[in-house]
Amino acid sequence: LLLPLHRKRGQCFVPADILAAAGSSSQEFVKGDGGPGAQRAVAAMIALARDHLSAFEQGAPALPASLRPAFLPLALTRACLGRLEKTGQSPLGGTARLSTLRKHWLLLRHASRGWSPI
């Protein structure tokens, strides 16, 4: 979600191997529109985030109840990733935000049900 801010600052936190596989570099990624390689790198990062989230969700029900509140902010991740993929604009230039009501609903739902499949 902070990608546009980081790009304005000239910062690139996308791993070099992902940038190389997408046909981009850190210098190209932060300049201008980033080119087609930047779009592919963002898509790869979204796919990687989805893989990591799925791995977490599979193991989350086994977390002790005392630790679950620490992972509650992850309840917003799937919705944020979906919003990044659905928006017509590129995540390189603007952020995809969830409404406050949607955020609170997702947090409440996960806080009351835990990480069981929904």
Side-chain angles (χ1 to χ4, degrees), residues 47-87:
L48 182 62
R50 284 195 182 280
D51 288 345
H52 283 267
L53 181 62
S54 294
F56 168 77
E57 286 175 339
Q58 287 177 355
L63 282 172
S66 62
L67 295 179
R68 289 183 184 167
F71 294 97
L72 192 55
L74 289 174
L76 304 176
T77 306
R78 187 168 299 283
C80 286
L81 292 173
R83 182 65 59 111
L84 283 171
E85 289 176 329
K86 288 180 186 175
T87 59

Side-chain angles (χ1 to χ4, degrees), residues 97-117:
R97 300 212 183 273
L98 297 175
S99 72
T100 304
L101 181 62
R102 174 85 191 252
K103 287 180 191 176
H104 285 124
W105 170 248
L106 290 169
L107 291 170
L108 175 66
R109 189 169 68 181
H110 280 286
S112 62
R113 290 185 176 175
W115 288 99
S116 60

Side-chain angles (χ1 to χ4, degrees), residues 1 3 6 12-22 24 29 37-54 77 80-82 84-85 91-92:
L1 295 177
L3 186 60
H6 293 160
C12 180
F13 295 109
V14 178
D17 58 336
I18 291 178
L19 286 170
S24 188
F29 188 80
Q39 293 291 338
R40 289 190 297 269
V42 169
M45 290 297 291
I46 290 172
L48 182 62
R50 284 195 182 280
D51 288 345
H52 283 267
L53 181 62
S54 294
T77 306
C80 286
L81 292 173
L84 283 171
E85 289 176 329
L92 294 169

